[in-house]
Amino acid sequence: MADRFARVRHISLWSLVRRNTRSVAGQIFLLQVALVVLLVAFAVFALVLQSRRHTNAEAERRSIAVAQTFAHSPGVLNALQAPDPSKVLQPLTEAGRKSAGVDFVVVMDTNGTRYTHPLPDRIGKRFVGEIEPSLAGKVYTESVRGPLGREVQATVPIRDSRGQVVALVSAGLKVKNVTSLVDRQIPIILTAGAGALGAATAATVLVGRRLRRQTHSLAPNEMTRMYTHHDAVLHSVREGVLIVNGEGRLLLANDEARRLLELPPDAEGRHVSQMPTLEPEMASLLSSGREAADEVHLAGPRLLVVNQRHTDCGGGPKGTVVTLRDSTELRAVSGRAAITGERLKLLYDAGLGIGTTLDVVRTADELARIAVPRFADFVTVDLADAVLHGEEPATTAQGMRRVAVCGIRDDQPLYEKGRLIDFLPSTPQARGYGTGRSELVTDLSTATGWHLQDPQRTEQIVDYGIHSLISAPIQARGVVLGMVNFWRSKEHEPFDQEELSLAEELVARAAVSIDNARRYTREHALAVTLQRSLLPRGLPEQSALDVGYRYLPAQSGVSGDWFDVIPLPGSRVALVVGDVVGHGLHAAATMGRLRTAVHNFSTLDLPPDELLSHLDDLVGRIDQDEASTDSPAAVVGATCLYAIYDPTTRRCTMARAGHLAPALVQPDGNVTFVDLPSGPPLGLGGMPFQAAELDIAEGSRLVLYTDGLIEDRTRDLDEGMELLRKALEGHPERSPEESCQAVLKSLLPGRPTDDVALLIARTHALPPDRVAEWDVPPDPAAVAGVRAAATAKLDEWGLSELGFSMELVLSELVTNAVRYGCEPIRMRLICDRTLICEVADGSNTSPHLRYAATTDEGGRGLFLVSQLTERWGTRYTPQGKVIWAEQALPDDWALREEAPGL
């Protein structure tokens, strides 16, 4: 490498020019030298012109800037007021002049007498130039010949604090100093030109060496002979040859290539994609530049074997060389291979496109669409009607439902979708359904057994042009679920035996998906039926709440969401919402167990936190039982919210176990979420539950819901709760049913992905005149007074006919409280849908109903109470217990209340 550069360095410029003046490299070298010289001369000329034009402007700009800076410098006014201003200002102006790069800075008084000058002997003499414009307050520039030579100077006024001109300052520089900056750039330009000329010389040497290497140092006559031989071989060989550059343009094509590809005369130089005679596959191969070895491609009526190789392997230009051989005799083999490939592609697409959902009808429709028009002109799918309901199919082809019809045209005369068909035993469908084997009918016009099914319809089908049929059974786990019918019309040849095998393979791939969808349909129907049977079918009658509710099952199965409204003694009502984690029959059955348990616990009239504790213990025992039986799923993760509303006090007590907090809509439409302590989900155990009490204004709405309402894959919990708040607020006039509809429309425009339970209850308050309370002294003699007060209240309510029975009940309950209870003792009467009597005391002992013997002196009081009332019972409070009893109101009491004059 060092020797090579040494040889290049020893080549003289003159020898290079003399040796290559007639060569391309020499001509390029001379052209480069001329261009470089012209560019250098033009740059120098332009720089000189520009220098002359902008010299004065640059001098004026710099002079003004320096003069204004010095005129506004701090300390200048003080220096002018000094006894000897020159002594103070001369050092300052000299320092400023040197730092600013100007030739002088002169400070003078208003008469033009200098205080400073670069030449000290000029101090005290008059300033050379005009000062009148500056005395008038203007900045004045001029060109003068001063003591330093030809100068450009700017004069600026110096003002005192009152704005009066007290002195002048002038700064300037000689024009030759500005011009010298430009003069210093001329050697740089000349040096750059010399460098460019040297680079051109080196480039010429390298180009000459490259040309000699590419021509292999051949003489002109040798190159002429070589190209003559090249043309003779290229055009006489019986194999097509093409050369395509890296951009996809055809550079060369011999005679055989033109014949095989039917290229136009002007093909060379054109892009291969712009040649209409080339097949798209061939054009794509030639323009791709990829290597190909003995690939078979169509070119009109011919089959060509194509080989393609890169031309830049040995350092040549980027492109490809292509050879073509005519192999038309392989066309038949290629046709069969293409058909096989299409069939394999059809089976592959069927595996991807069939069974995307667990819907029987959708799967059958996917099978029909995948086969039209790639395999058949028309496809119909007939399933046993029982399969659509998830049941086992019948053993004969009776009651077949047409679930899918697809074809190349919509006016076909085949049975329409949704029709129930009973196939005769002589039809290919019935034979295939019974034997489980496919049936091939190559000519429907001669199939007499098929014609017997519906002579008029079959005649229309044949006249329409449908001539061939394959009827393949949909078989899974040894059971035939239905039939798939492939029909061909006059546009295609009849089916053959090879296509019969393809149809069987295609249907077999779909049969598994249809069977899975059938089994899913059965399980989903069972789960939905079970869940709906476990959920309340109607709401109980009560006057404390107006209730609206919604339950929506999920898209892909049911889960354990539930809700309930449970009337309690004392006109109170319990609201329950719960959710069991999981889907399917197990979740639905577990939900039913928990709902039943809540009903049982509510009969004990337990507070919400105690009820959830009992429910938590129950779930723990269920998990233990399932663990001992190797059950695949546990209940841990179930949540519940339990609330009790009392219309006599408008107080609501609630507790939750891992559930979402309820929403409270005030009568004015304002929405808040109740600040309720969050307990652990049911089944974890070991953690207590906390209850919260709140007073609710009459007309408020309590909104209880499960997480399926607000949680979704596309939004988080906070966003869902905000949407719920917006859907509820601002509409105090809406009923609970209307609120349910509005919430679902806002939060769930489509079918939910999870179960949704929604319960909205609007509260009512029992009128104060329907409630009467008395404090009872702990004295048996007080019983008579209580009876009298109760009788008077019943007369006031128009319930005199209940006075006798209520006196007996009150006597027994109050007497027991006085005798066996402790203070405080209170009695309350509530007139609602029933007449309710409550006696409360401070003890926790509860009386028990028993049958008294004939010799017993007591024990018959509670038995008498149970006989005179519809229900009675005991509930415990933090202060003691309450014994209550309910009596039915007269049938016409409500009418008497509406029309008291009757």
Side-chain angles (χ1 to χ4, degrees):
M1 181 65 71
D3 295 340
R4 183 178 302 176
F5 282 111
R7 288 197 299 270
V8 173
R9 200 163 49 242
H10 283 86
I11 297 176
S12 65
L13 179 62
W14 173 249
S15 62
L16 180 64
V17 174
R18 183 181 58 188
R19 192 177 301 172
N20 296 321
T21 52
R22 294 186 179 182
S23 66
V24 176
Q27 294 175 2
I28 292 176
F29 172 73
L30 292 178
L31 180 61
Q32 289 177 337
V33 171
L35 287 176
V36 170
V37 171
L38 287 176
L39 289 175
V40 171
F42 179 76
V44 172
F45 179 71
L47 188 61
V48 171
L49 290 180
Q50 184 180 9
S51 172
R52 292 179 179 178
R53 181 179 303 173
H54 296 290
T55 296
N56 290 335
E58 176 65 17
E60 290 177 0
R61 184 188 64 81
R62 292 174 60 184
S63 300
I64 292 172
V66 173
Q68 287 183 335
T69 301
F70 194 87
H72 295 89
S73 297
V76 173
L77 291 176
N78 295 332
L80 291 172
Q81 297 172 1
D84 189 2
S86 297
K87 184 177 181 181
V88 178
L89 292 174
Q90 178 67 8
L92 295 177
T93 55
E94 286 302 297
R97 176 183 65 81
K98 294 177 181 179
S99 62
V102 296
D103 290 329
F104 67 89
V105 177
V106 174
V107 181
M108 68 197 82
D109 59 13
T110 55
N111 297 321
T113 304
R114 299 189 185 101
Y115 290 133
T116 64
H117 196 275
L119 301 177
D121 59 341
R122 300 290 180 174
I123 297 174
K125 296 181 180 180
R126 182 173 176 80
F127 173 72
V128 179
E130 295 288 336
I131 63 173
E132 284 76 10
S134 300
L135 291 175
K138 298 181 181 179
V139 176
Y140 182 72
T141 60
E142 59 183 336
S143 178
V144 299
R145 181 167 297 278
L148 301 179
R150 185 173 177 271
E151 303 166 340
V152 175
Q153 61 186 14
T155 305
V156 176
I158 299 176
R159 301 175 184 270
D160 58 8
S161 58
R162 295 173 299 174
Q164 299 292 331
V165 177
V166 297
L168 303 175
V169 59
S170 177
L173 69 164
K174 294 179 287 186
V175 176
K176 67 177 183 178
N177 289 340
V178 180
T179 307
S180 63
L181 297 177
V182 178
D183 295 339
R184 288 195 294 271
Q185 296 179 6
I186 294 178
I188 298 175
I189 295 175
L190 297 177
T191 303
L197 187 60
T201 303
T204 302
V205 173
L206 294 176
V207 169
R209 293 176 62 84
R210 185 174 180 85
L211 287 175
R212 287 195 299 273
R213 184 169 64 252
Q214 291 182 346
T215 58
H216 301 285
S217 300
L218 294 176
N221 57 344
E222 294 174 336
M223 294 186 66
T224 301
R225 185 170 62 255
M226 182 187 67
Y227 279 108
T228 301
H229 294 165
H230 165 268
D231 289 341
V233 173
L234 185 65
H235 295 289
S236 62
V237 69
R238 298 303 299 170
E239 189 172 88
V241 179
L242 301 171
I243 297 179
V244 182
N245 67 3
E247 299 177 355
R249 295 188 178 276
L250 182 64
L251 300 181
L252 183 143
N254 68 348
D255 297 340
E256 183 66 9
R258 291 177 181 273
R259 183 185 70 84
L260 294 176
L261 299 178
E262 299 179 357
L263 297 177
D266 59 344
E268 294 180 351
R270 296 173 58 182
H271 200 279
V272 294
S273 62
Q274 299 175 352
M275 299 183 188
T277 58
L278 287 181
E279 296 288 341
E281 189 177 357
M282 177 66 76
S284 176
L285 172 63
L286 296 180
S287 61
S288 66
R290 65 176 178 85
E291 292 192 355
D294 293 334
E295 292 187 6
V296 179
H297 293 272
L298 281 173
R302 300 182 181 86
L303 276 178
L304 303 181
V305 178
V306 183
N307 288 275
Q308 184 167 262
R309 295 289 184 272
H310 294 291
T311 59
D312 56 353
C313 297
K318 187 176 182 180
T320 55
V321 58
V322 184
T323 60
L324 309 171
R325 295 198 310 274
D326 191 358
S327 57
T328 308
E329 64 276 5
L330 298 177
R331 183 170 187 175
V333 178
S334 176
R336 289 195 295 272
I339 294 174
T340 303
E342 291 177 359
R343 291 177 178 177
L344 291 175
K345 183 67 167 56
L346 175 62
L347 293 177
Y348 174 77
D349 292 341
L352 296 178
I354 299 176
T356 58
T357 64
L358 288 173
D359 185 87
V360 175
V361 177
R362 176 71 179 274
T363 304
D365 187 69
E366 290 172 347
L367 169 61
R369 293 184 182 277
I370 204 73
V372 177
R374 300 165 65 180
F375 180 68
D377 296 327
F378 302 95
V379 176
T380 59
V381 182
D382 305 320
L383 294 177
D385 201 42
V387 172
L388 299 177
H389 305 288
E391 303 172 0
E392 293 293 330
T395 56
T396 60
Q398 301 291 318
M400 302 285 288
R401 181 77 64 179
R402 179 147 293 180
V403 297
V405 177
C406 186
I408 57 176
R409 296 171 59 183
D410 296 333
D411 59 345
Q412 41 77 22
L414 300 171
Y415 284 139
E416 66 277 5
K417 182 179 178 180
R419 185 179 183 123
L420 190 65
I421 308 171
D422 293 331
F423 287 105
L424 296 178
S426 60
T427 59
Q429 291 86 352
R431 292 196 301 268
Y433 190 92
T435 61
R437 293 189 295 271
S438 301
E439 293 282 330
L440 171 63
V441 182
T442 57
D443 188 0
L444 289 173
S445 62
T446 61
T448 57
W450 175 68
H451 281 269
L452 294 176
Q453 173 69 31
D454 188 346
Q456 183 178 359
R457 176 81 65 163
T458 54
E459 184 178 354
Q460 294 176 358
I461 293 174
V462 173
D463 293 341
Y464 186 79
I466 297 177
H467 55 74
S468 183
L469 165 68
I470 291 179
S471 188
I474 304 173
Q475 192 169 4
R477 299 181 297 107
V479 178
V480 178
L481 306 176
M483 300 296 295
V484 181
N485 306 299
F486 301 94
W487 313 81
R488 274 191 182 171
S489 59
K490 54 189 176 183
E491 284 82 2
H492 296 90
E493 295 295 325
F495 289 110
D496 54 26
Q497 288 294 330
E498 291 185 0
E499 291 170 323
L500 178 64
S501 301
L502 175 61
E504 291 175 343
E505 179 66 22
L506 188 62
V507 174
R509 295 185 178 225
V512 176
S513 298
I514 292 177
D515 186 56
N516 289 338
R518 177 188 68 86
R519 297 170 67 183
Y520 169 77
T521 301
R522 179 179 61 188
E523 181 180 348
H524 185 265
L526 290 174
V528 171
T529 302
L530 174 61
Q531 188 174 38
R532 291 195 180 277
S533 66
L534 296 175
L535 289 172
R537 299 185 180 181
L539 297 180
E541 293 184 359
Q542 43 82 32
S543 57
L545 300 169
D546 289 337
V547 179
Y549 64 93
R550 290 291 187 278
Y551 171 75
L552 298 178
Q555 291 179 354
S556 58
V558 296
S559 61
D561 291 17
W562 92 90
F563 65 93
D564 224 328
V565 179
I566 306 173
L568 298 177
S571 296
R572 297 170 302 137
V573 179
L575 300 176
V576 190
V577 169
D579 185 6
V580 176
V581 174
H583 292 81
L585 291 175
H586 179 270
T590 303
M591 176 271 290
R593 299 170 72 177
L594 295 182
R595 179 171 178 262
T596 302
V598 171
H599 267 271
N600 293 334
F601 291 143
S602 66
T603 59
L604 301 177
D605 214 342
L606 298 174
D609 52 342
E610 293 185 21
L611 185 142
L612 292 180
S613 297
H614 287 289
L615 199 62
D616 181 62
D617 294 338
L618 174 63
V619 172
R621 289 194 298 272
I622 293 175
D623 287 340
Q624 292 177 2
D625 294 341
E626 290 180 345
S628 63
T629 58
D630 297 329
S631 177
V635 192
V636 174
T639 65
C640 183
L641 171 65
Y642 188 83
I644 298 176
Y645 174 69
D646 189 348
T648 63
T649 61
R650 295 184 291 103
R651 176 159 294 185
C652 182
T653 306
M654 60 182 69
R656 58 173 173 155
H659 205 82
L660 297 170
L664 178 62
V665 185
Q666 302 292 343
D668 59 357
N670 186 34
V671 180
T672 59
F673 289 92
V674 179
D675 186 11
L676 183 62
S678 177
L682 299 175
L684 297 182
M687 296 292 291
F689 297 97
Q690 299 181 31
E693 291 188 1
L694 63 154
D695 294 327
I696 299 179
E698 184 176 6
S700 300
R701 283 171 288 171
L702 271 174
V703 182
L704 284 66
Y705 51 92
T706 57
D707 57 358
L709 178 67
I710 60 175
E711 286 186 327
D712 191 77
R713 296 176 182 174
T714 60
R715 63 172 182 252
D716 56 16
L717 181 63
D718 293 337
E719 183 180 357
M721 296 186 73
E722 180 62 20
L723 289 176
L724 176 61
R725 185 187 65 80
K726 291 181 179 179
L728 291 171
E729 71 178 356
H731 299 280
E733 75 286 352
R734 284 195 307 212
S735 66
E737 282 292 327
E738 293 172 342
S739 297
C740 288
Q741 189 66 27
V743 167
L744 293 182
K745 182 179 180 181
S746 177
L747 274 75
L748 299 174
R751 189 173 178 183
T753 58
D754 192 10
D755 279 17
V756 174
L758 174 64
L759 189 66
I760 299 180
R762 182 164 57 192
T763 63
H764 294 288
L766 199 63
D769 59 352
R770 297 290 182 176
V771 181
E773 295 185 74
W774 297 273
D775 291 326
V776 180
D779 184 0
V783 176
V786 171
R787 278 202 310 266
T791 302
K793 180 56 69 173
L794 292 179
D795 293 339
E796 180 183 338
W797 288 341
L799 298 174
S800 301
E801 60 266 40
L802 299 180
F804 177 73
S805 58
M806 183 54 66
E807 285 183 8
L808 294 178
V809 172
L810 281 175
S811 296
E812 177 60 29
L813 297 182
V814 174
T815 301
N816 284 341
V818 172
R819 181 177 299 175
Y820 304 108
C822 60
E823 295 186 78
I825 302 174
R826 291 185 62 82
M827 187 192 75
R828 183 169 69 165
L829 287 180
I830 302 173
C831 182
D832 192 13
R833 291 180 177 270
T834 60
L835 180 60
I836 305 169
C837 173
E838 296 180 346
V839 177
D841 66 83
S843 68
N844 291 321
T845 58
S846 175
H848 297 281
L849 178 66
R850 64 186 180 88
Y851 291 95
T854 55
T855 58
D856 291 341
E857 294 183 358
R860 297 178 178 85
L862 288 181
F863 179 77
L864 181 63
V865 170
S866 67
Q867 296 299 312
L868 294 175
T869 60
E870 288 189 340
R871 297 189 306 159
W872 76 279
T874 304
R875 73 171 182 271
Y876 293 94
T877 65
Q879 295 79 25
K881 68 176 183 297
V882 176
I883 302 177
W884 55 270
E886 293 184 4
Q887 280 186 287
L889 299 177
D891 296 337
D892 61 343
W893 183 80
L895 295 176
R896 285 184 288 170
E897 284 292 306
E898 294 176 359
L902 296 178

